[in-house]
Amino acid sequence: MGLLDKKNIVIMGVRNKWSIAWGIAQIAHDEGANLIFTYQGDRERKSAEELAAELGNTEIFQCDISSDEQIDALFEEIKTKYGTIHGLVHAIAHANTEDLQNDFVYTTRSGFAHALDVSAYSLVAVSRRAKDLMTEGGSIITLTYMGSEKVMGGYNVMGVAKAALEASVRYLAADLGPSGIRVNAISAGPIKTLSAKGVKDFNSILEIVEKKAPMRRGIDREDLGHTAAFLLSNHSRGITGEVVHVDSGFNIMGI
């Protein structure tokens, strides 16, 4: 029996085979979960369908995370088809390219609002709907990065958004804890995804981690998938409001 046997797990943000969400989905599937994918819009639909088909017995739903109406419709449909969910993975973030390429001081007002809305507030929005379906308790996890704690070149407004996301994790954990719902974040080390291509000098960041991290290596999607499966499972029932670093120990190092 797997860690997530017969548990209904919603994964929001499975974009392609290089995404962290896909690594989590693969491990969750191997651990026996019934998976439910969401995709943002028509551009992501084909990829989501192909990935769902690869795992088999995985339904997909469209949801524009910036629309409260679509979020409401999504969870109403999930409630009708599944009744109860046991876990939710929030793997959604976005910032405008120019706000990542330019110095942070030139971040636009609209770009700042966009990054915070999509990358941080969306967790609050989906948690509010998910809690009503977690009638047996549950686990919500999101993805962050050390750029929330330290200045990382090229991360810019996304670092500010991730800091807001991590604070949201703590406040949500306090609100939802009495209902038996845990909320945690995984702070992933740098990993090659399509989103990472938007970060200036990303390859040099990878090289530094591999050289300086205590384990002298980077991380992969399997590392993150196993950590997510643990946090989604009953084995982590005493853990909430935490930011768990999965980065080969890089976060503990000074110079």
Side-chain angles (χ1 to χ4, degrees), residues 173-214:
D175 279 356
L176 302 181
S179 298
I181 299 171
R182 295 171 287 109
V183 187
N184 293 288
I186 295 174
S187 184
I191 185 170
K192 289 184 178 179
T193 64
L194 289 183
S195 298
K197 289 184 177 181
V199 178
K200 196 164 47 177
D201 299 326
F202 180 76
N203 285 336
S204 65
I205 295 174
L206 280 176
E207 292 173 4
I208 291 171
V209 169
E210 291 173 358
K211 185 182 297 184
K212 298 291 187 180

Side-chain angles (χ1 to χ4, degrees), residues 215-226:
M215 297 179 71
R216 298 296 190 270
R217 70 171 181 89
I219 60 152
D220 56 29
R221 274 167 284 278
E222 190 173 356
D223 294 324
L224 299 169
H226 282 296

Side-chain angles (χ1 to χ4, degrees), residues 47-117:
S47 177
E49 288 176 337
E50 291 174 350
L51 293 174
E54 186 168 327
L55 294 181
N57 196 31
T58 299
E59 286 202 76
I60 66 168
F61 299 91
Q62 193 273 333
C63 180
D64 180 349
I65 203 67
S66 64
S67 166
D68 285 327
E69 292 75 17
Q70 288 200 29
I71 297 173
D72 285 338
L74 167 69
F75 282 94
E76 189 59 39
E77 192 166 4
I78 291 175
K79 180 179 180 180
T80 299
K81 291 193 174 185
Y82 293 88
T84 300
I85 62 174
H86 306 91
L88 183 142
V89 178
H90 172 273
I92 297 169
H94 189 265
N96 294 330
T97 301
E98 59 269 25
D99 291 320
L100 296 176
Q101 295 297 323
N102 298 329
D103 288 346
F104 175 68
V105 70
Y106 295 112
T107 305
T108 62
R109 185 182 298 273
S110 61
F112 189 97
H114 171 76
L116 270 288
D117 181 26

